[in-house]
Each structure stands twice: as structure tokens, then as C-alpha cells.
Amino acid sequence: MIKIKGPVDHVVVVGAGLSGLSAALHLLGAGRSVTVVERDALPGGRAGLVAESGYRIDTGPTVLTMPDLVEDAFAAVGSTMADRLELVRLDPAYRARFADGSQLDVHTDGAAMEAAVEQFAGARQAGGYRRLRSWLERLYQVQMRRFIDANFDSPLQLLHPDLVRLAALGGFGRLDARIGRFVSDERLRRVFSFQALYAGVPPARALAAYAVIAYMDTVAGVYFPRGGMHALPTAMADAAADAGGDFRYGQTVKRLERSGDRITAVVTDRERIPCDAVVLTPDLPVSYRLLGHAPRRPLPLRHSPSAVILHAGTDRTWPDLAHHTISFGAAWKSTFRQLTRTGELMSDPSLLITRPTTTDPSLAPPGKHLHYILAPCPNTTIGPGVHEWRELGPRYRDELLGWLERREMPGLGAAIEQEGLVTPVDWSAQGHAAGTPFAVAHTFPQTGPFRPRNLVRGTANAVLAGCGTTPGVGVPTVLISGKLAAQRITGPPTAPTHRTRGTAA
Ligand SMILES: Cc1cc2nc3c(=O)[nH]c(=O)nc-3n(C[C@H](O)[C@H](O)[C@H](O)COP(=O)(O)OP(=O)(O)OC[C@H]3O[C@@H](n4cnc5c(N)ncnc54)[C@H](O)[C@@H]3O)c2cc1C
């Protein structure tokens, strides 16, 4: 593995999102002195928080998987999850509601899920689920260490027996078709393949290897931190500060000072911070601009779809909702075509409805409820641009409300007492390229060693981290990304650091 040469005693981490916090913890654990510079007043970045009228609203991720990676980050500084964060395992992980009126609770316990599938779709499908689960476990085992939790210096690194194992498992086929070999029921296929959207690719085109995300949520488990998702970055920042990390909030990095090929200082709007090395976690275009160099690629980068989020604080709730409910529209392939090809808004939307107050009522005032509705939408490169969204936003909010009222949440409009709408206008204002917070899509040419690297030619002591670089988008992956960035500076660990909880379930 290529490691940064020269002195690396004091590292400045730009950004206190989850990747930056992970990098900071792993660097502190390896004895480095660390300064974290963050433009916002709080840690978390995309995993942000808005506190308003007694509601504590998480603005980003809601589905927390692979908590062992969080544990690894705490362990780096001698802390533990138990000291810092209370996680609740969600059961069901999701409630899937279909256009035909049927519904399935997705349990991560194998026996409970098999029984649920049998009741939902019969014994043959339950047998298929059992085989699917075992395949997902093997897929995860083959991929994690070699292809996800790995610093790539060359695509040749792929040439390993695990690549053959991955091919033998069908990892290079198409996700939807592979899932269909195990479960033929159309609704079950959706439950185990919709996760491709997290990677920004339709299930019909995504590599089957991406079923590893379905391993993470439907097998290894979905968790929720008491106090809300933002409790995660808060706990990580506290652990880093307790280990000696120096946090400078409310400062935007404007430029990097160089001497030859080394960054010698990070210059913010308020101060100049000398450094031996830098970890950059902003969106790629921002990091490349700071570095003064963007690597050339054979093809332009393609971004993931974006999302509109409706935050609704209400004076009532709906008993059919679970913590996470996926409200599937009848349309499926055409939905992905609209999101990734034609750039239209979903005409028959599939929506993720999260009600965090199911698990932690303290996130809303007494007797009130919080709902977070995520509607995927095209990014601004292929869909409506920022200018159009300014007008479209309020109209789309009304349209969404109509869908929700007709499906899961009759009377929603009248029940709302606190509301927030987030559209690609807001994502763009935060500096996210193509108006999407989900970064560069995980198409094959943008995956593994082909994804933008965490080292940038021409700068000897800067490393990138975060969802734009390897391994990719999502809480587990950016936690790994921060760790991988730290390893570029400190060298690889002497022993493997991650465990595989859940694989033996
Ligand atoms: C709406 C939404 C829903 C999601 N849902 C899920 C989910 O359910 N499950 C899941 O696993 N993942 C989910 N994700 C993805 C996941 O949250 C992200 O991939 C991850 O949080 C990104 O972390 P990051 O560290 O790469 O980037 P960021 O969180 O963006 O961190 C970068 C930090 O750098 C700071 N910064 C930028 N420029 C500067 C500068 N010039 N100077 C100083 N600081 C700067 C930013 O303020 C930010 O804090 C979701 C994301 C969003 C937005």
C-alpha cells in the first residue's frame, strides 16, 4: 500500500462529517496530533441536525447499519460504543408496503424472516429466502476485506482468489436477475434489490456484488441511536476531542499553502493552520479545487440520483407505519428509468417513510410525532435544474402529500404543525455536485479501484476521504473511507480491525 512519505505528525482533517470523524479517531489512535476544521457549527456534515420548536430533526441518514465500524472507530482511541452511544436494533428493519395492499415486515433474524416470507408468499419463496440469505453472507465475506475495506493502488490488486470467489458467486451478473434466482415473487425481489438505489444504480443494471448492501440492512441489521442519528457524529466528535483532537468549528477552508508537492498549511477564513499532512473530506470538486488538480478520467463522472425530503412534525401518527416504512409504488423499472435516464420525477413514487419517534419519542414534543419522507428524484444534471426546482419544490411537496394521504398517511396535511422541505436547491447550496448529496454513482467504472482514488497525483501529503472516493456512499462506507485515509498516513494496521457480526445468524 502506498503511504505518505515524510513527516506526518500533525494532520489537519477538513470536514467533521462521518468520514472526517472516522479519520480523526483512527489518526489519534495511531498517535498523531489532529486538528479538525469544519465550516458548520456542529459535527455530522450530511448526517446533520436541525433543532426546531421542540423537534430534533435528523437531516441525512436514517438507516444505520454495520455498527461494528463505529465500534472500531471508538476502539481506535480506547473508547467503546457502550460508553458513548446507545443503539437500538430495529425490528422490523423495514416495513414494506406494496401497491396491491400487501405488507411485509423485514426481520433481520433469519428464522423470523423465513416465517414472515412463508406467510407472505409461501413455502417455496421462504426456501428461496433461506438460500438468498446464505448467499448474501458469503458475498459479504468475500468482498469486505478485499474489495471494500481496502486501499487500492492499482486495479491489478483485484487479481486475487477472492475475485474468482466473487465471480463464482455471480457477483458480476446483474443484481435484479441474481436476486430473482432465489425469490421469484416480484415484491420480494424489490425488498432485496431496492438498495441498489443507495448506490445510485437501478437494480436491473447494478452489479450483483451490490447485494452486499442488502446483506448490511436485511441480514446484519438496522440500528437507531437513542437521541437520533445525530447522536452518532456527536459521540464520535466527543471521543476524538477526549483523545486530544482539536476541533475548529465555524471555519471554512479557503486554500492550502504548498511548498513543492507538499501542503504546509491549511488556510481558513479565520486562521492559518500549519500541518504535516491533510485529509480532505468535502465533495470531490471542492477538494480538487483546493488541491489545484482534478485527475483526468476517460469518461466524465456520473452522479447518483438526488432526493427530496419532507420533514413533518405532526400532532398525530399512523399505526401502520414502522420506524422505517417503504411505500412501493406499482411502477418499478420505469421509476428507475425516470430517476437515472429520462430525468423525470417519479410518476408512481416509491418512498422511504421514517418515523424516528417510534423508537425515541423524545425527538418530538410530548404527544407529537416526527416523520421523514424521502422521495428519490433525478440529479440536476439529467433532471430539473436548481432554477426549476425553486418553483417546482412547493408543487412537488403538494404532490407528495397527495400520494402519502392516498397511501399510508390519510389526513397528513391537516396534521402537520412543523414542516421542512429539502430539494436539490438545498443540496446544491451545500456545494454538492449535480444537486445530489449521494455523490458519484457506483457504476462499474466508478467502483473499487476505478472510483476516484484517495490519493491525488502531484500532492505528496494529502489524502481524500468521504463518499466521493473509495469505497463509496453510505455511513458504513464513509467510516471505512476515513479509516483508509488514516492508513495512508499511518500505514496499515498490524491486525485486521473489522469483525463480521451477524454473519453467523
Ligand atoms: C438525505 C440523506 C439520506 C441518507 N441516508 C442514508 C442512510 O439511510 N444510510 C446510510 O448508510 N447512508 C445514508 N446517506 C449517506 C451518508 O449519510 C453519507 O454518504 C455520509 O454521511 C457522507 O459523509 P462524508 O463524510 O463523506 O461527507 P459530509 O458529511 O458531507 O462531510 C464533509 C464535511 O466537510 C465540511 N466541509 C465542506 N467543505 C468545507 C470547507 N471548505 N471547509 C471546512 N469544512 C468543509 C462539510 O460541512 C461536512 O461537514 C444519506 C445521505 C443523505 C444526505
Side-chain angles (χ1 to χ4, degrees):
M1 183 192 81
I2 296 173
K3 194 183 143 211
I4 281 183
K5 296 193 179 66
V8 284
D9 296 328
H10 177 221
V11 184
V12 174
V13 176
V14 179
L18 294 174
S19 64
L21 294 168
S22 168
L25 286 164
H26 287 284
L27 286 164
L28 286 161
R32 299 303 182 274
S33 148
V34 175
T35 305
V36 182
V37 185
E38 167 56 53
R39 66 182 175 186
D40 291 341
L42 294 172
R46 273 166 253 218
L49 172 76
V50 172
E52 239 167 35
S53 311
Y55 290 94
R56 289 179 65 78
I57 301 167
D58 287 315
T59 59
T62 58
V63 179
L64 176 62
T65 59
M66 307 298 291
D68 287 11
L69 296 166
V70 180
E71 190 76 91
D72 283 347
F74 287 136
V77 293
S79 188
T80 64
M81 181 103 74
D83 290 341
R84 303 268 172 194
L85 202 60
E86 188 190 343
L87 292 189
V88 180
R89 189 175 172 123
L90 299 183
D91 186 25
Y94 300 103
R95 173 164 296 159
R97 287 173 60 86
F98 300 94
D100 64 3
S102 60
Q103 120 175 355
L104 174 70
D105 278 359
V106 179
H107 303 286
T108 49
D109 175 78
M113 184 61 181
E114 203 178 315
V117 171
E118 179 159 357
Q119 202 184 18
F120 178 72
R124 250 190 74 221
Q125 299 297 318
Y129 164 72
R130 200 169 47 243
R131 291 195 308 282
L132 170 60
R133 186 180 175 97
S134 146
W135 177 74
L136 290 172
E137 286 169 352
R138 281 177 287 144
L139 196 73
Y140 171 79
Q141 297 285 3
V142 164
Q143 283 190 84
M144 187 56 166
R145 179 93 42 88
R146 188 69 47 197
F147 305 123
I148 300 174
D149 191 358
N151 265 314
F152 283 101
D153 293 324
S154 151
L156 294 177
Q157 250 172 279
L158 287 176
L159 300 179
H160 182 275
D162 279 345
L163 188 74
V164 180
R165 291 188 192 108
L166 184 57
L169 285 169
F172 296 105
R174 296 295 155 195
L175 176 67
D176 180 48
R178 177 55 58 169
I179 299 290
R181 288 200 192 187
F182 297 103
V183 286
S184 57
D185 185 290
E186 187 56 36
R187 298 163 304 171
L188 290 174
R189 282 172 78 150
R190 291 184 184 195
V191 165
F192 294 103
S193 67
F194 81 88
Q195 295 84 350
L197 193 60
Y198 293 160
V201 191
R205 290 218 311 272
L207 286 180
Y210 275 104
V212 72
I213 312 177
Y215 166 82
M216 292 178 185
D217 61 5
T218 69
V219 177
V222 175
Y223 295 80
F224 187 70
R226 215 166 275 291
M229 288 295 289
H230 195 259
L232 171 62
T234 302
M236 291 176 73
D238 287 350
D242 290 350
D246 177 6
F247 281 78
R248 316 271 169 101
Y249 290 109
Q251 295 200 31
T252 299
V253 172
K254 294 291 185 190
R255 61 188 177 85
L256 305 173
E257 270 182 21
R258 306 176 75 102
S259 170
D261 66 355
R262 289 187 83 83
I263 310 291
T264 52
V266 170
V267 182
T268 77
D269 45 4
R270 284 212 251 135
E271 61 180 319
R272 175 182 176 278
I273 309 169
C275 64
D276 297 319
V278 190
V279 175
L280 294 167
T281 74
D283 260 41
L284 288 182
V286 177
S287 295
Y288 290 151
R289 186 170 42 71
L290 288 170
L291 289 168
H293 174 78
R296 272 205 238 149
R297 295 183 61 92
L299 294 169
L301 288 170
R302 285 179 61 166
H303 283 82
S304 291
S306 184
V308 170
I309 311 222
L310 177 65
H311 297 285
T314 56
D315 58 13
R316 61 163 288 200
T317 189
W318 292 265
D320 286 341
L321 296 178
H323 187 113
H324 292 298
T325 302
I326 305 171
S327 171
F328 286 105
W332 191 238
K333 285 194 176 145
S334 61
T335 302
F336 285 101
R337 198 163 46 245
Q338 288 169 330
L339 293 172
T340 62
R341 289 267 157 124
T342 61
E344 297 157 274
L345 298 179
M346 297 180 291
S347 48
D348 177 14
S350 287
L351 305 167
L352 172 65
I353 305 167
T354 297
R355 183 180 57 191
T357 40
T358 308
T359 308
D360 188 345
S362 76
L363 299 173
K368 312 286 182 186
H369 309 268
L370 194 52
H371 302 87
Y372 165 124
I373 295 117
L374 185 150
C377 70
N379 66 42
T380 55
T381 308
I382 66 157
V386 169
H387 187 61
E388 289 159 89
W389 267 110
R390 281 189 224 286
E391 264 186 49
L392 188 56
R395 268 193 284 131
Y396 192 55
R397 173 257 182 214
D398 292 347
E399 202 177 302
L400 271 180
L401 225 61
W403 284 106
L404 290 161
E405 293 204 341
R406 284 191 295 279
R407 293 186 190 171
E408 276 70 30
M409 305 167 80
L412 171 62
I416 295 180
E417 61 153 46
Q418 175 73 32
E419 185 179 332
L421 184 75
V422 182
T423 74
V425 175
D426 305 282
W427 304 127
S428 292
Q430 287 169 36
H432 302 321
T436 173
F438 303 117
V440 172
H442 287 264
T443 55
F444 183 70
Q446 299 181 171
T447 288
F450 311 113
R451 201 164 172 82
R453 297 182 68 209
N454 60 5
L455 293 179
V456 179
R457 206 179 289 264
T459 304
N461 62 341
V463 191
L464 306 184
C467 50
T469 182
T470 49
V473 181
V475 173
T477 25
V478 301
L479 293 173
I480 292 174
S481 152
K483 182 178 70 172
L484 294 176
Q487 286 174 7
R488 290 287 194 193
I489 293 169
T490 63
T494 42
T497 52
H498 64 79
R499 283 141 282 150
T500 53
R501 181 195 292 165
T503 52

